[in-house]
Amino acid sequence: MGKPTGFLEIERVKDSYEPVAQRLKHYREFVPALDDAAAKLQGARCMDCGIPFCNNGCPVNNVIPDFNDLVYQQDWQNALTVLHSTNNFPEFTGRVCPAPCEAACTLGINADPVGIKSIERAIIDKAWENGWVMPQPAKVKTGKKVAIVGSGPAGLAAAQQLARVGHSVTVFEKNDAAGGLLRYGIPDFKLEAEVIDRRLEQMQFEGIAFKTNTVIGSADIPKGIVNDAKTVVTPAELEAAFDAVILAGGAEVPRDLPVPGRELKGVHFALELLIAQNKQNVGGAANPINAKDKHVVVIGGGDTGSDCVGTSNRHGAASVTQLELMPMPPEQENKSIVWPYWPVKLRTSSSHEEGVERDFAVQTQEFVGENGVLKAVKLVRLDWVDGKPTPVAGSEFELKADLVFLAMGFTNPVASLLDSFGVEKDARGNAKATTDGVGCYQTSVDKVFAAGDVRRGQSLVVWAIREGRQAAREVDAFLMGSSTLPR
């Protein structure tokens, strides 16, 4: 490493944030990338640890020590080459990935880990600023055509890989713009639409066609899922026009909470708030859900719940409370037990820091209303013993609530998509396709592959990119007999 004693001499370089009072006035990103000097210090902390567990902690297997060292040496263009060799979209992961690589950092055993995520973002942001991210169209076309259903991170990664080896790729998206979860599931204050659009422009120059407002299979989409489709294309039409199809539509069906009062006005799925807000931010219709001066309850303690907290506070909510069914996790994990794996511990996001009351081990019993309008939430405290919850007698209480957002995760892909292709499903309702042995990512239907959340269930952006890249290699081998794409 360029600085063998750096980890002993330099503290972790922490991200800076725009003050809360300022960032609550807008929906733009508020975490600036590291400047050259700070990135150099961050990279200097990377140890010559012998076995870089961070590489395996990262789902796309980023070659982390190499680009850390290159940033320390201020060799930014070679750092970009190393980063892009494993990750098509580091500007996405550098903003929204929870960084399992940092949980696996050897330095993290007894100190703050290297800020790998901030280095990754610094590399790619500098690359875009300097015009180093250029289209890479294939020099020779294969004559093969591939359809990709869904333009989230899995679909985009697969599309770019396949286009670069010469296949003609068309991406189908039911919404009015490409990006999937990246565009409509993540608030702009974490990932601005402009960051997505510049990558899509590069992909178009590489020959990838995007067909938006187009749904595959059926226009019958469950409540809570955005659908701007004006055109319906049948699986038979796709299979006739293309040599291979990749299903990358994600796991979009939100987990519901069927308790009394669920039908009351004011109870919404989380994405009903988040999608409408992102559309408003780019000049679309005003968000029909407005939390200004209202008491908001968010049910679900994960990232989507945190996004509802941040959005509600930007609306000017009177109060925001976030509830979690599970008990409160420890503030500090026992590293001797969990390292280098992802630890269960209390995580406080930037949205939480903007204002929220958090409560754990509580269960929703009923939504209480008046004249069909939500007024309160009835709750009970839980006692967790051996992993099983028991309501605590006499612990019932109510929270005032004008709006409730259900942010309890997603259960499975839209069934009509898989059913229309006749794809076999696993026990959880996902497309059944293995990632081992012969026929990786192939479904039970000839020529049809599946990748990302549609196959593995709700997961991370970085896992979707990994699956898209791997599925692209399998499709290339299926079409050509072998593949030069990395796995």
Side-chain angles (χ1 to χ4, degrees), residues 425-437:
K425 291 179 277 192
D426 65 17
R428 296 181 299 161
N430 303 320
K432 189 174 182 180
T434 182
T435 58
D436 300 313

Side-chain angles (χ1 to χ4, degrees), residues 29-47:
E29 293 177 14
F30 53 83
V31 184
L34 299 180
D35 61 25
D36 289 11
K40 180 181 175 75
L41 287 175
Q42 192 83 283
R45 298 186 71 242
C46 189
M47 307 165 66

